[in-house]
Amino acid sequence: MSNEAALIEAAKKGSATAFANLVHGYREGLLRFLVTRSSSYADAEDALQDTLINAYRYLHSYDSRWRFSTWLYRIAINNAARLRSADTVELGDLRDDESDPLAYCIAASDRENLWQCARRQLSDEVYTAMWLRYVEDMSVNDISAVLERSASWTKVNLMRGRKTLDAELNKDATDDKSKAYG
Amino acid sequence: MDKLAKQLREDADQIACNISPELDERIRASLHGITPKPVDKPGPASRPAAFWWASSLTGVAAAVAIIAVVNLQAPEPGPEAANSGAVPLILPTIKWNTETAVLTSPLEQEIEDLQSDLKKAEEAVRQDIDRLF
C-alpha cells in the first residue's frame, strides 16, 4: 500500500493528523488555483479551507480509481463556484492590482501574465481545463473527470483555449518587435 | 514542451501564493473539530412480518373500495350521447400549384464541393487534436 493510500485509510478512520499530512503537499497548488478563480485573496483562502473540510468530511466517498488530486480539484472548483455565485464581481472585470488577487500575487513584469489574459478570454471551464493540463499536468481523462465532461469535449476545448492564448502570445511578440524597430 | 505550454507553466510559477501560518492554524483547527462521515451507513431497522401483511391487506381493501365507488357513481349514457359528434366536417380542398424541385448539376456540384471541404476540415482538426494530446 502506498504512503498516500495508507494516509487515506487512516484519515477515513478519523485521524485528522493523517488527513492534514495527506493534503499538505496539495494545499499550495490548490490555493494558487483558487486565487485565480476568486475575486479576493480572502475568498481564495476560505475556499481552500472549505475544500479541505469537505474532503475530510466526505472522504468515504472518494473512489481510489481516480487520483486523489483529481477528487480534491473537483471539490475546490465547486467551492470556488459557490463563493463566486454570491459575488457580483465578474472575474474578467478585475483589472486594478488592488482588488484583483491574481494581479496582487504576480511579480511585476513588462508583459501581461498569460493566466490573466486567459481569465479574461476563456470561459470558466476552458480556463480550468487549461490550468489542470498545463500547470497540474493532468491527463485528458483526469480533466474530464474533474469537469464531468467527455474526453472529446476536453480535447476540443483545450485546443480552443490553446488557439486563443497562442494568438495572444504571438500578438505580444509582434508588439515587442514593433517597439524594437520603433 | 512547446512554447505556449512552457510560457503557461512559467506564468503560473510567477503567481506567488503561500499558506500563511494563520491559515495553516485555521485549517488544522477546523479539521480537528469535525468527524468524517462513517463509511457504511447503518440501514433502517427491519420491520416485523406482520407489518407487511397488514399494509398489503390495507392496500387491497382500498383498491376494492375505490373500484366499487367508481362503478356505483358512473352515469348511464343518455339518448343524446348517440347523436353527439354526428355533424360531418367538410373541409375545402385546396389546389396547390407545386412542382418538384430538381437540383441542377451546378448545385449538386456545389454541395459535393462543400461536403468535401467539410470532410477535409474535420480531418485537419482531428489530426491537430491527436498530435497535441
Side-chain angles (χ1 to χ4, degrees):
Chain A
M1 189 185 278
S2 70
N3 188 36
E4 188 169 274
L7 287 172
I8 290 172
E9 280 310 308
K12 274 184 180 175
K13 287 174 187 159
S15 168
T17 311
F19 185 78
N21 290 336
L22 173 67
V23 296
H24 191 268
Y26 296 110
R27 296 183 314 172
E28 222 158 85
L30 277 172
L31 180 63
R32 199 159 51 148
F33 169 72
L34 288 167
V35 158
T36 70
R37 308 308 301 147
S38 305
S39 52
S40 76
Y41 197 86
D43 275 358
E45 287 188 333
D46 288 348
L48 174 67
Q49 187 180 356
D50 289 351
T51 300
L52 299 180
I53 289 172
N54 287 342
Y56 184 42
R57 185 169 283 154
Y58 299 104
L59 193 60
H60 67 276
S61 67
Y62 165 64
D63 184 346
S64 56
R65 281 179 303 174
W66 296 103
R67 280 166 57 182
F68 187 67
S69 59
T70 307
W71 188 65
L72 271 183
Y73 269 92
R74 174 79 237 142
I75 300 173
I77 288 164
N78 284 341
N79 275 322
R82 191 173 46 76
L83 275 177
R84 278 218 321 280
S85 65
D87 210 334
T88 51
V89 183
E90 286 292 322
L91 291 178
D93 295 340
L94 292 170
R95 294 289 177 97
D96 57 324
D97 293 0
E98 284 179 11
S99 61
D100 183 1
L102 178 55
Y104 174 78
C105 290
I106 293 171
S109 169
D110 52 354
R111 68 168 180 81
E112 188 183 32
N113 188 295
L114 265 182
W115 290 106
Q116 278 178 301
C117 169
R119 200 176 58 177
R120 212 172 43 247
Q121 301 214 358
L122 306 179
S123 70
D124 276 5
E125 278 187 312
V126 180
Y127 178 97
T128 304
M130 293 289 286
W131 182 278
L132 297 178
R133 177 75 184 170
Y134 294 106
V135 182
E136 298 299 330
D137 279 333
M138 277 193 193
S139 67
V140 169
N141 282 344
D142 281 343
I143 298 170
S144 309
V146 171
L147 296 176
E148 294 177 337
R149 291 284 197 170
S150 68
S152 345
W153 183 95
T154 306
K155 281 183 184 178
V156 168
N157 281 283
L158 280 172
M159 182 78 180
R160 285 182 184 157
R162 276 187 63 91
K163 273 196 170 176
T164 307
L165 295 183
D166 226 359
E168 199 65 30
L169 195 62
N170 289 330
K171 196 179 83 184
D172 282 351
T174 316
D175 288 350
D176 288 347
K177 269 188 191 169
S178 309
K179 278 179 193 169
Y181 289 114
Chain B
M1 190 186 279
D2 62 313
K3 187 184 165 193
L4 179 69
K6 194 166 164 259
Q7 195 68 58
L8 284 169
R9 173 58 68 92
E10 281 176 13
D11 282 10
D13 287 342
Q14 280 189 359
I15 304 169
C17 285
N18 45 27
I19 309 287
S20 63
E22 292 80 23
L23 179 61
D24 184 44
E25 188 54 41
R26 223 170 77 187
I27 290 171
R28 280 182 187 277
S30 53
L31 286 179
H32 281 283
I34 57 167
T35 43
K37 298 228 169 175
V39 178
D40 296 313
K41 287 181 185 172
S46 60
R47 299 187 189 281
F51 174 83
W52 299 113
W53 279 112
S55 61
S56 304
L57 287 175
T58 312
V60 170
V64 169
I66 290 169
I67 291 167
V69 168
V70 168
N71 282 331
L72 285 174
Q73 287 183 346
E76 288 180 12
E80 68 276 5
N83 294 331
S84 64
V87 181
L89 191 63
I90 300 163
L91 289 173
T93 48
I94 302 167
K95 286 182 182 173
W96 299 101
N97 291 324
T98 54
E99 289 176 7
T100 309
V102 179
L103 289 176
T104 57
S105 63
L107 274 175
E108 285 174 347
Q109 186 60 44
E110 188 71 15
I111 286 175
E112 277 173 16
D113 289 348
L114 284 171
Q115 283 172 339
S116 163
D117 287 350
L118 193 62
K119 271 186 189 164
K120 279 180 197 163
E122 275 178 0
E123 192 54 40
V125 169
R126 195 172 295 120
Q127 278 174 1
D128 278 354
I129 289 175
D130 289 343
R131 186 168 48 80
L132 278 168
F133 309 110

